[in-house]
Amino acid sequence: MAFRVGIGVDAHALADGIPLVLGGVELNHPRGLAGHSDGDVLAHALIDALLGAAGLGDIGGLFPSADEELGGASSLALLTDAYGRVKAAGWRLVNADCVLIGEEPRIAAHRDEMRRRLRDAIGEGEVNVRATTTDRLGFTGRVEGLAAQAVALLEAG
């Protein structure tokens, strides 16, 4: 059986007047993530991990920020589209691990829903969501933005 691993990283600044969407869940928070789509760093990192593992480039190549039709798009819809390409290339998700990096918001109460929505957008495999802080270091520590990392394991099939 053939396996491949991919890593994804994403970061966006927090901004006023924008809903905060993480893992496909809209959270009650005073600021959201400024991005061309809904700014969901967890979904974006997962997309890059999946595309990287399948050798299909990256999120910017597939969904360029210059494409006005993608403005405000649901990152879960982008994830579904990207995973369709991964499947068409002959791969399937075994599991993915996604880590949100930031001081706030706390996501423990939403973690299971985030896992479910990300996994449902893919349609198979296992998806885990975790969070960590940087102990107030860097842009995430100063609460200027959020970042995420994801790793995905694909198997041929």
Side-chain angles (χ1 to χ4, degrees):
M1 176 107 7
F3 293 95
R4 288 192 182 171
V5 175
I7 298 171
V9 177
D10 194 45
H12 289 291
L14 286 162
D16 294 329
I18 301 170
L20 178 60
V21 178
L22 294 170
V25 176
E26 188 171 324
L27 302 179
N28 183 14
H29 194 270
R31 297 184 298 159
L33 292 167
H36 186 62
S37 65
D38 61 16
D40 186 338
V41 292
L42 284 170
H44 294 180
L46 181 53
I47 290 168
D48 261 350
L50 291 165
L51 292 173
L56 298 175
D58 60 37
I59 191 172
L62 190 56
F63 307 114
S65 58
D67 185 342
E68 292 186 19
E69 289 185 20
L70 296 174
S74 162
S75 293
L76 291 183
L78 302 180
L79 177 58
T80 298
D81 183 321
Y83 190 67
R85 295 166 193 255
V86 169
K87 286 285 287 186
W91 299 97
R92 69 173 288 287
L93 178 67
V94 175
N95 74 297
D97 189 30
C98 307
V99 180
L100 178 69
I101 304 163
E103 300 299 319
E104 60 180 53
R106 301 290 188 207
I107 65 164
H110 308 283
R111 186 183 347 251
D112 288 340
E113 182 67 11
M114 291 175 184
R115 270 189 235 159
R116 185 187 66 73
R117 290 191 185 190
L118 292 168
R119 194 253 178 229
D120 286 353
I122 293 168
E124 61 189 2
E126 298 296 324
V127 177
N128 188 44
V129 174
R130 303 179 290 126
T132 191
T133 69
T134 58
D135 292 326
R136 304 252 176 237
L137 297 172
F139 76 93
T140 60
R142 292 186 301 270
V143 194
E144 296 170 1
L146 293 171
Q149 296 180 346
V151 61
L153 175 63
L154 303 181
E155 67 180 351

